[in-house]
Every structure is written in structure tokens, then in C-alpha cells.
Amino acid sequence: MSSIEVDVIRLLGDPLRRHIVELLAQGPACTCHLVTDTGAKQPAVSHHLKALKEAGLVTSEPHGRYTYYRLLPDALDATAQGLTGLAESARLRADNRRECP
């Protein structure tokens, strides 16, 4: 797995970030929507959005005086493919036990 895929898995390990991603999967939203929908404080939501944006999971788009955040599914697809590859490898090699020296 690439370091980007590992970053995505690590980021999604946080319950609030995962919730934000789930909400953005339903469509773009501004910070005020995400604060309302998650019940989290605005600084916490902004912090998590910044991390998701830096990881390439989210992009921002200005709309009037608001900034809307949109989920970028390609990063999730790449991570899912990496995990699928690991699962397939484990299936194929389930009986390949290494002998101890």
C-alpha cells in the first residue's frame, strides 16, 4: 500500500473525520452544515477538514461568502483497491506458512 493509502486509513480511524467523510459522501457542505450535523465545535471541524484536504480526500470551493467542501472519491477508491489487494493476497497465501529456523 502507498503512503497515501495508509494516510487515508489513519485519517478515517478518527470517528469525527469518518463522520465528516460520510456526510460529504451525501454531497458538498459548508463548515456550518458539518458543525450542525456532527455536533462538534467549529474549530474541531475546520481542523479535521484541513487534514482531509491535505490528504487529498476533500477539496474546497468558494460559494459566495461560504466555502463548501466536497469529497474526492478517487482517494477512497485507491485505498479500497489497496485493501482489496491485501485481502486477495491473504486469501491466496493463507496456507503458505513459513517454517521456523
Side-chain angles (χ1 to χ4, degrees):
M1 290 185 76
S2 75
S3 64
I4 292 172
E5 294 162 2
V6 172
D7 285 345
V8 169
I9 292 168
R10 180 184 54 80
L11 286 172
L12 295 178
D14 180 277
L16 180 54
R17 275 191 284 248
R18 187 173 53 252
H19 191 178
I20 290 170
V21 167
E22 290 167 349
L23 291 168
L24 292 177
Q26 298 172 19
C30 70
T31 306
C32 62
H33 296 130
L34 297 170
V35 166
T36 300
D37 292 347
T38 62
K41 303 279 186 204
Q42 186 273 328
V45 170
S46 293
H47 171 77
H48 288 300
L49 285 168
K50 180 181 177 194
L52 292 168
K53 190 173 177 182
E54 288 173 354
L57 277 172
V58 168
T59 189
S60 60
E61 303 163 346
H63 185 74
R65 58 178 241 194
Y66 299 100
T67 299
Y68 276 74
Y69 293 87
R70 183 171 50 89
L71 187 61
L72 298 172
D74 289 347
L76 292 174
D77 283 339
T79 301
Q81 289 172 2
L83 290 171
T84 299
L86 285 174
E88 187 61 29
S89 179
R91 265 188 216 92
L92 291 173
R93 295 171 179 87
D95 295 327
N96 292 357
R97 184 179 352 189
R98 292 173 46 183
E99 296 299 324
C100 294

